[in-house]
Amino acid sequence: MARSASLWAVRTLLIVFGWHQANAIPRVSFPLDSPGRSLTQFTSLEVGNTTTLLLSSDEDTLFVGARNAIVSLDISEPRAVVMKNKLDWSPTEKDLNDCAMKGKKKADCPNFVRVLQVLNSTHMYACGTFAFSPRCTYINSETFSLVLGPTGKPEEGRGRCPYDPYQKNTAITVDGELYTGTVADYRGNRPVISRHLSEGGHVDLKLDDTLGWLEDPTFISSSYVPSEEKVYFFFSEVGREYDFIDKLTVSRVAQVCTSDVGGQRTLQRRWTTFAKAQLLCQSQGELPYNVLEDMFTLQPLEGAPEEDTLFYGIFSSQWSVNSGRSAVCVFSLDDIKAVFAGNYKVLNRDTLRWSTRVQEKVANPGSNFLTDEENFLPSGQRVSMVSPDYRYSNIAVQRVRGAKGKNYTVLYLLTESGYLHKTVLLENGPHIIEEVQVFRQPQPVKNLLLSLSKGSLFVGSSEGVTEVPVANCSFYWSCAECVLARDPFCGWDPSLRICTDITSIQSNAAQDVEKGNVHEKCKPPAPNPRSSFPPLRPPTGELVPVSLNEVVRLQCPEASRLARRHWERPNSRLSPDLYLQQDDGSLRFLATPITLGHYLCLSVENGFQQVLAVYQVKQKSSSNGGGASGGVPTSQPVSAGPTTTQTTQGRQLPATSAWGPRRTEGKAGRGRQPPPPLAPTLSPRETAGVTPRQERNFTFWLNPVLQAEADAKPRDRPPTKGQAGGEDDGGEHQLQTTTACYLQELVVVSVLLVLSVSVLLTFGLYGMRQRCHSRTAPQGCSSRRDAERGGAGSNGNAAGGAASTPQERESLRASPRETKRNGQAQNGQAQNGGKTLCNGVTNGSNGHLPNTPI
């Protein structure tokens, strides 16, 4: 035991960061009440907390257990949910007072129906919390009325239904007998697996935590396998076999035989066939997802053996490193049978420790009821799906036959925030086809119920019951969109040219669930030989009138979260210095003569490029009456010209998400980073070029010649006449006029610049001359007579040295006028023609410094 536990601990504690599955992102999203996804909702002010769902045998009636009531809803008509009957089942005033005396909240004291099962062909069985004192009752299916039991009194529901409305439980009926997993006290401390309403030679049985059978479990689901005559319970509990970790949660599957009649002595009226095993849901290199949230039983295909039954479970983790994440693992019935047929651990009652004995092959509830398998790995030894961004709470599963007869597994995963994710499992990983919001407020108790005959999924929550059709093929209005959806329910009918249910298409259905290859499945129309050389100009799009020097913003709808959106201009490139593409896919730029013209927003998904929006930005003329900047533009149909256009009328595209698009230049695959933000010197006036285009989408099969024209760069080919400045007509004249105007302004600015530089140079030279004069004037230059007398030293000492006599000092203080009369020039130059340097040192006529012997 110690070695096995140690190996498990080493493997689980070695964390390798990084996901081995791609992040699952919903391709499209439909908010609540979105016209792109039709839902049918049932809400009533008289009925709340509609979380327990049950379908009738013909699936024309939906029974709902709610707060203080049980209702029947008519769902026989497509996309219609109508209440037929309502049964009031409320606690008395005394029951409510007793609930308050127990210290419970008033909002938790009503009767919340948590068990609703078909008992036989004439009756149903229901149990509710009933003010923290559970009660059960029979319901006549024909008259839809409450019926008292054999005792003539309401039956006690302890061990059949939880006390707390937020406590999870499970219940299933087999041959008129009720099998439940719940708690047996209002504190929730006594878990129990029981059988009630036993018939024939059976007796009611139970199993609790007195002998260590259950360790603080949370019951999730139960399933009956007729060939095995077994009921399987799925739950999470504390794994006592791992005594080196405090309160380690593990997920379990437990079995009991429906033919069990109990044992002897301490096992009287107790299960003797109870056994449990651990379910391990773990992605490679990560800690296990050890908390079971929900489990769904997928029955085998018609004609397939019962061993092909699969159990799909949602798992979360108690580890903080996996907080907020979910995983989906699938287990096969064949693997579960093999685990229970293996060895079992033995519990030492004295030390309460588990040990292994190889010879123990049969389960014994008294000592060995835990399988010796270290863990029970999922089918295929791998996790089916890991969601790092969403935490799922409920699951339903369906098999769908595709266009070529291949079966696909579709998961319906409900997030805690109220979104339903429709996901298909593929060989290269899961693909989330869409997400649909089904309720607004997060809530702990909700339920999913799948009706195959109706083709709908019913979601029960505290806000009401929502019917979600499993297919939404009419949302896709072109072959490309239908194929890119990769929905196994939908295919493109080439004869009717619609995306419809795959079962209604006789042959040649365009569908590619695995890859979504549009080029292979959707062939473009054959070009007309007469129009093989179309005029080289872009198609006309929505007209956006703007004023110069205004900021223009062009919106681009989001056709898919998996697509990369980018903008293009015919015969021009979008310089990052002029254009800014924002996270929502819109394009912003300053309206100038060179930015007027056509703009195309394109998306690339799975190598297929399609046009989402076409705009023609044009300067406002006087005939337009000016108007405020950013006025609502007029919409013009896209010119078919040489192209074949398919438009989607009356359709709302999904809301723009926070996922930032990546820009591509030219063809797909040449990625480019978004440009830097525009300089803050733009005009404060901002023009919202177009309102979000949520009612139209364009898919183009562009003519090769036109596509080559759109992909051409300015350096490859100069713009042709009529295309300068981005205009179709008049562009050349406007460019010439603008160029002439700019030339005059350039000449004027150049002349002013030359004059300014000349003035600056003049003042600079004058300043330098003044500084030279200021340095030379005080020093003066010594005359030859002074030099002969030896009164002045060389190197300017005559000016700076001290006079030896008062007369000499007086002569040095003589005025400039007197100095000039003595033969000294005012500017410091000697009259003998000697030249004076700027630092006051003079050069003699002989080229030597004064007072220097020759």
Side-chain angles (χ1 to χ4, degrees):
M1 186 279 298
R3 179 178 178 274
S4 177
S6 299
L7 290 176
W8 184 91
V10 170
R11 186 177 68 247
T12 57
L13 293 178
L14 290 177
I15 307 175
V16 178
F17 294 98
W19 293 91
H20 296 276
Q21 294 196 10
N23 292 347
I25 303 173
R27 183 179 180 272
V28 292
S29 179
F30 298 96
L32 199 62
D33 302 328
S34 172
R37 195 66 158 94
S38 60
L39 306 178
T40 306
Q41 292 183 316
F42 166 77
T43 57
S44 175
L45 297 177
E46 302 176 354
V47 181
N49 294 91
T50 53
T51 57
T52 304
L53 307 179
L54 175 66
L55 275 174
S56 62
S57 57
D58 57 3
E59 297 192 359
D60 285 339
T61 303
L62 179 66
F63 300 103
V64 181
R67 182 180 64 243
N68 295 332
I70 302 173
V71 298
S72 63
L73 304 178
D74 184 3
I75 58 173
S76 58
E77 296 296 329
R79 311 298 177 256
V81 179
V82 182
M83 185 171 66
K84 296 193 301 183
N85 296 296
K86 176 188 174 184
L87 282 176
D88 292 325
W89 191 22
S90 303
T92 63
E93 192 67 27
K94 181 180 181 302
D95 295 327
L96 296 176
N97 293 334
D98 292 342
C99 179
M101 291 294 292
K102 296 177 182 179
K104 304 302 179 182
K105 297 179 181 179
K106 183 178 180 181
D108 299 337
C109 288
N111 181 27
F112 296 89
V113 178
R114 298 301 304 277
V115 175
L116 187 60
Q117 293 288 320
V118 174
L119 200 60
N120 49 45
S121 60
T122 58
H123 288 81
M124 295 184 295
Y125 194 73
C127 299
T129 59
F130 215 84
F132 277 81
S133 180
R135 303 283 178 85
C136 296
T137 185
Y138 294 88
I139 302 174
N140 190 310
S141 302
E142 297 179 357
T143 62
F144 199 68
S145 58
L146 299 179
V147 179
L148 295 177
T151 61
K153 298 180 181 180
E155 294 190 0
E156 183 181 6
R158 183 174 60 180
R160 310 180 188 187
C161 176
Y163 289 71
D164 193 328
Y166 305 106
Q167 185 79 36
K168 291 186 177 181
N169 70 301
T170 181
I172 188 173
T173 55
V174 178
D175 297 332
E177 299 176 332
L178 180 68
Y179 295 79
T180 62
T182 185
V183 293
D185 67 330
Y186 76 96
R187 292 189 179 91
N189 296 329
R190 292 184 57 193
V192 60
I193 294 178
S194 309
R195 182 174 67 195
H196 305 274
L197 311 178
S198 299
E199 296 181 352
H202 293 176
V203 295
D204 289 352
L205 299 178
K206 69 176 182 177
L207 177 141
D208 51 30
D209 61 343
T210 56
L211 298 178
W213 290 323
L214 301 172
E215 300 287 352
D216 193 18
T218 300
F219 294 101
I220 301 299
S221 177
S222 53
S223 179
Y224 173 61
V225 180
S227 62
E228 295 289 309
E229 293 187 352
K230 291 180 180 179
V231 175
Y232 290 99
F233 291 90
F234 299 92
F235 56 94
S236 296
E237 67 172 358
V238 177
R240 296 298 182 188
E241 66 270 28
Y242 304 108
D243 53 3
F244 55 89
I245 300 179
D246 186 26
K247 292 186 178 180
L248 174 65
T249 302
V250 295
S251 298
R252 305 284 198 196
V253 54
Q255 67 171 14
V256 293
C257 294
T258 57
S259 58
D260 197 337
V261 294
Q264 303 291 328
R265 299 183 179 88
T266 59
L267 294 181
Q268 288 185 3
R269 293 187 174 272
R270 293 176 181 257
W271 295 103
T272 60
T273 57
F274 173 80
K276 64 182 180 180
Q278 179 183 348
L279 298 174
L280 182 61
C281 183
Q282 182 177 12
S283 184
Q284 184 179 2
E286 294 180 344
L287 288 174
Y289 295 85
N290 55 331
V291 181
L292 181 62
E293 299 290 345
D294 196 18
M295 184 68 73
F296 183 89
T297 304
L298 181 63
Q299 301 296 334
L301 292 171
E302 185 177 357
E306 201 168 44
E307 285 73 12
D308 291 346
T309 303
L310 298 176
F311 303 95
Y312 286 82
I314 295 177
F315 294 81
S316 61
S317 178
Q318 74 177 105
W319 315 107
S320 59
V321 68
N322 288 339
S323 178
R325 298 170 176 173
S326 296
V328 177
C329 285
V330 56
F331 305 89
S332 67
L333 176 62
D334 194 36
D335 293 337
I336 292 178
K337 291 170 56 179
V339 169
F340 284 122
N343 298 331
Y344 285 83
K345 297 179 184 295
V346 176
L347 179 63
N348 189 323
R349 292 296 180 182
D350 297 331
T351 62
L352 296 180
R353 292 180 177 272
W354 292 93
S355 60
T356 303
R357 294 182 182 177
V358 180
Q359 65 271 18
E360 297 292 342
K361 289 287 187 180
V362 181
N364 182 357
S367 58
N368 58 314
F369 49 86
L370 178 63
T371 60
D372 187 41
E373 290 289 337
E374 183 181 346
N375 44 62
F376 174 33
L377 294 173
S379 179
Q381 307 295 311
R382 64 184 179 92
V383 177
S384 299
M385 176 180 178
V386 174
S387 174
D389 303 315
Y390 304 96
R391 182 159 183 167
Y392 298 120
S393 60
N394 297 80
I395 185 174
V397 187
Q398 180 181 3
R399 284 192 181 95
V400 181
R401 185 177 294 273
K404 296 183 179 180
K406 182 178 180 180
N407 291 314
Y408 296 95
T409 301
V410 177
L411 311 180
Y412 305 98
L413 304 168
L414 186 63
T415 68
E416 292 185 341
S417 58
Y419 280 85
L420 183 69
H421 285 186
K422 176 181 171 183
T423 308
V424 57
L425 297 181
L426 304 175
E427 295 179 358
N428 57 349
H431 169 63
I432 302 182
I433 302 169
E434 61 181 0
E435 69 171 2
V436 185
Q437 187 179 10
V438 291
F439 56 83
R440 291 181 173 86
Q441 298 297 329
Q443 46 198 273
V445 181
K446 51 265 180 187
N447 196 4
L448 292 181
L449 186 61
L450 181 62
S451 173
L452 297 179
S453 63
K454 299 296 180 184
S456 296
L457 185 73
F458 295 94
V459 183
S461 67
S462 61
E463 301 175 6
V465 178
T466 304
E467 180 184 6
V468 183
V470 296
N472 190 32
C473 303
S474 60
F475 175 74
Y476 310 106
W477 284 64
S478 68
C479 179
E481 292 181 348
C482 190
V483 173
L484 287 174
R486 301 167 69 182
D487 190 338
F489 286 98
C490 304
W492 180 257
D493 192 333
S495 59
L496 299 178
R497 302 189 62 80
I498 59 173
C499 188
T500 184
D501 195 306
I502 199 68
T503 58
S504 64
I505 304 176
Q506 299 298 329
S507 61
N508 299 328
Q511 183 190 72
D512 189 358
V513 181
E514 291 290 342
K515 299 180 181 179
N517 192 328
V518 177
H519 297 286
E520 180 180 347
K521 299 298 180 181
C522 299
K523 302 298 182 183
N528 188 349
R530 297 182 180 180
S531 61
S532 58
F533 296 95
L536 299 179
R537 67 180 188 89
T540 303
E542 279 196 33
L543 182 63
V544 183
V546 298
S547 300
L548 294 181
N549 299 326
E550 289 188 359
V551 176
V552 182
R553 182 178 180 181
L554 303 181
Q555 297 281 4
C556 183
E558 184 182 55
S560 168
R561 289 184 177 181
L562 304 182
R564 301 189 308 273
R565 289 176 289 179
H566 66 280
W567 290 83
E568 292 184 1
R569 291 192 65 188
N571 306 321
S572 178
R573 63 182 295 269
L574 273 64
S575 172
D577 299 332
L578 300 177
Y579 299 92
L580 173 64
Q581 182 172 350
Q582 297 183 304
D583 292 339
D584 60 356
S586 62
L587 183 69
R588 294 180 60 184
F589 56 91
L590 192 65
T592 63
I594 62 175
T595 59
L596 300 177
H598 283 89
Y599 291 85
L600 285 77
C601 179
L602 304 97
S603 69
V604 179
E605 182 178 1
N606 282 1
F608 174 74
Q609 179 173 278
Q610 62 176 335
V611 179
L612 301 180
V614 179
Y615 298 104
Q616 182 184 8
V617 181
K618 193 171 185 179
Q619 183 179 357
K620 293 179 181 178
S621 61
S622 58
S623 60
N624 292 338
S629 62
V632 179
T634 59
S635 175
Q636 299 180 358
V638 178
S639 174
T643 64
T644 300
T645 307
Q646 299 165 350
T647 60
T648 60
Q649 304 290 342
R651 160 195 161 182
Q652 180 169 351
L653 290 173
T656 303
S657 68
W659 294 91
R662 288 180 292 177
R663 299 186 59 188
T664 58
E665 185 176 278
K667 299 297 181 181
R670 298 202 297 261
R672 185 154 61 100
Q673 296 296 330
L678 293 176
T681 58
L682 295 178
S683 172
R685 295 176 298 173
E686 178 172 338
T687 300
V690 191
T691 55
R693 298 168 52 89
Q694 296 183 347
E695 297 297 331
R696 183 176 300 168
N697 185 33
F698 300 92
T699 302
F700 289 89
W701 284 108
L702 296 178
N703 186 279
V705 179
L706 182 61
Q707 184 64 41
E709 171 72 14
D711 291 339
K713 304 299 179 184
R715 61 178 181 268
D716 298 334
R717 183 184 60 218
T720 59
K721 182 176 180 181
Q723 292 177 341
E727 292 288 355
D728 294 331
D729 50 359
E732 183 176 358
H733 174 71
Q734 180 182 0
L735 183 59
Q736 293 176 355
T737 304
T738 305
T739 304
C741 181
Y742 285 166
L743 182 59
Q744 295 176 2
E745 294 179 359
L746 180 61
V747 172
V748 172
V749 172
S750 301
V751 172
L752 291 177
L753 180 60
V754 171
L755 292 177
S756 301
V757 172
S758 300
V759 173
L760 290 176
L761 290 176
T762 302
F763 278 103
L765 294 175
Y766 179 77
M768 291 177 61
R769 183 176 182 277
Q770 289 298 107
R771 286 195 299 272
C772 183
H773 172 70
S774 64
R775 293 180 180 179
T776 58
Q779 295 176 356
C781 295
S782 301
S783 64
R784 180 177 298 272
R785 186 173 53 185
D786 294 336
E788 292 176 353
R789 293 178 179 178
S794 63
N795 299 332
N797 291 336
S804 61
T805 64
Q807 289 80 6
E808 293 176 347
R809 289 193 297 269
E810 183 65 23
S811 63
L812 289 175
R813 290 194 296 268
S815 63
R817 185 175 300 174
E818 294 175 349
T819 305
K820 186 174 182 180
R821 286 198 301 267
N822 293 332
Q824 179 72 25
Q826 185 176 359
N827 58 358
Q829 289 182 342
Q831 292 181 359
N832 56 5
K835 297 181 181 180
T836 304
L837 298 179
C838 289
N839 59 359
V841 180
T842 58
N843 286 327
S845 62
N846 55 7
H848 298 275
L849 291 175
N851 301 331
T852 303
I854 301 176

